[in-house]
Amino acid sequence: MKTSLMALVLATSAIAALTGIVAAKDEATKDLLPPGSVSRAEGLAAWKRIEAVVTHPRCANCHVDAKAIPIWTPAGETKSRPHGMNIHGGESRIGAEAIPCSTCHMTSTQANEPAPAPPRAGIDWQLAPVAFIWFGKSGAEICAQMKDPKRNGGRDAAGLVEHLRHDASLSGFIPRGWAPGAGRSTPPGTFEDHVKDMAMWGAAGQPCPN
Ligand code: HEC
Ligand code: HEC
């Protein structure tokens, strides 16, 4: 009886996760622009706006190196510092070796909402993989990383747009950047602007500044 209930719970969460992925794909397809329909100059301008977002603390603070210490930028401050309380993401990047990030950080697709009740399709709060490092990197370095499938999770230009939609439907780390709560600053523009810029940059062939 217990086992079948467990199986049902697992199946329900798998279906919820799959539905999220399919919905994200459908939505991302609508965002895409035909390759070559955007000029290199417009693509570079889109990259400049993307760069302002990904170097912002709300994004870069989780995209850190192999030391796996998240960065913390309190409200009203621009100075970044290592996360207090000896927090460490470990090799797992989710803090599994010590205190899991999810002990304190709840994941929700809606800012300031409690985590969805189990079974949940959300992804636990965690650091981005080491290869996706942004904190302390220049815009040109981040641009080169983001277009390199070996260092971005195997994503082409369309895959990056899809990731933004996928994250919005599951973990919500990215949309949260624009609705962080507690008086924290936000990256320029809106989440929807960011999706459009990513589609433009992709259609222009992902040009990077020199
Ligand atoms: C809570 C930590 C966290 C925050 C905050 C965060 N990310 Fe991420 N990010 C991740 C994780 C984890 C992954 C890996 C997910 C995957 O590959 O499926 C990731 C992957 C990505 C990727 C995939 C490709 C690549 O080159 O890194 C993009 C794009 C991205 N994040 C954008 C953003 C943007 C934009 C923001 C801010 C608005 C942001 N992230 C904030 C944790 C975070
Ligand atoms: C003991 C509780 C606790 C644990 C565990 C914890 N954090 Fe935090 N974290 C906090 C608090 C509190 C803040 C500050 C919130 C504020 O600025 O108001 C914070 C802030 C952050 C920020 C800055 C958020 C922003 O928008 O700039 C990041 C990034 C972060 N934590 C990532 C992590 C990651 C990744 C882990 C796991 C490796 C983790 N935290 C584990 C309590 C915790």
Side-chain angles (χ1 to χ4, degrees), residues 80-98:
S80 297
R81 70 205 60 188
H83 200 296
M85 305 176 282
N86 269 323
I87 295 305
H88 199 279
E91 251 176 71
S92 68
R93 307 294 274 178
I94 63 170
E97 296 85 345

Side-chain angles (χ1 to χ4, degrees), residues 10-203:
L10 284 175
T12 315
S13 69
I15 290 166
L18 266 178
T19 315
I21 292 165
V22 172
K25 256 209 177 100
D26 283 355
E27 198 161 357
T29 309
K30 281 187 255 147
D31 298 316
L32 297 178
L33 299 165
S37 64
V38 175
S39 72
R40 182 181 161 81
E42 285 171 310
L44 278 172
W47 170 259
K48 274 287 149 199
R49 294 188 296 270
I50 295 172
E51 184 180 308
V53 170
V54 299
T55 53
H56 190 278
R58 292 294 87 69
C59 301
N61 285 355
C62 266
H63 283 245
V64 299
D65 65 15
K67 289 205 284 289
I69 299 171
I71 305 295
W72 199 337
T73 318
E77 293 188 29
T78 47
K79 200 175 153 285
S80 297
R81 70 205 60 188
H83 200 296
M85 305 176 282
N86 269 323
I87 295 305
H88 199 279
E91 251 176 71
S92 68
R93 307 294 274 178
I94 63 170
E97 296 85 345
I99 313 172
C101 317
S102 56
T103 312
C104 305
H105 293 278
M106 294 209 255
T107 312
S108 168
T109 49
Q110 293 278 301
N112 304 326
E113 232 185 50
R120 57 187 220 182
I123 296 164
D124 279 342
W125 190 269
Q126 58 187 279
L127 293 174
V130 179
F132 303 11
I133 177 169
W134 296 347
F135 186 79
K137 295 288 174 192
S138 70
E141 284 171 321
I142 297 173
C143 191
Q145 172 269 318
M146 208 189 278
K147 67 190 264 188
D148 181 356
K150 288 196 202 75
R151 293 187 286 154
N152 76 5
R155 298 178 167 102
D156 60 8
L160 285 174
V161 175
E162 196 188 301
H163 174 64
L164 299 178
R165 290 291 179 205
H166 178 64
D167 179 279
S169 70
L170 284 186
S171 74
F173 301 154
I174 301 176
R176 172 194 173 273
W178 284 274
R184 293 181 195 89
S185 63
T186 56
T190 63
F191 170 69
E192 289 300 326
D193 294 338
H194 185 61
V195 175
K196 282 201 189 88
D197 284 335
M198 194 63 94
M200 279 183 77
W201 181 57

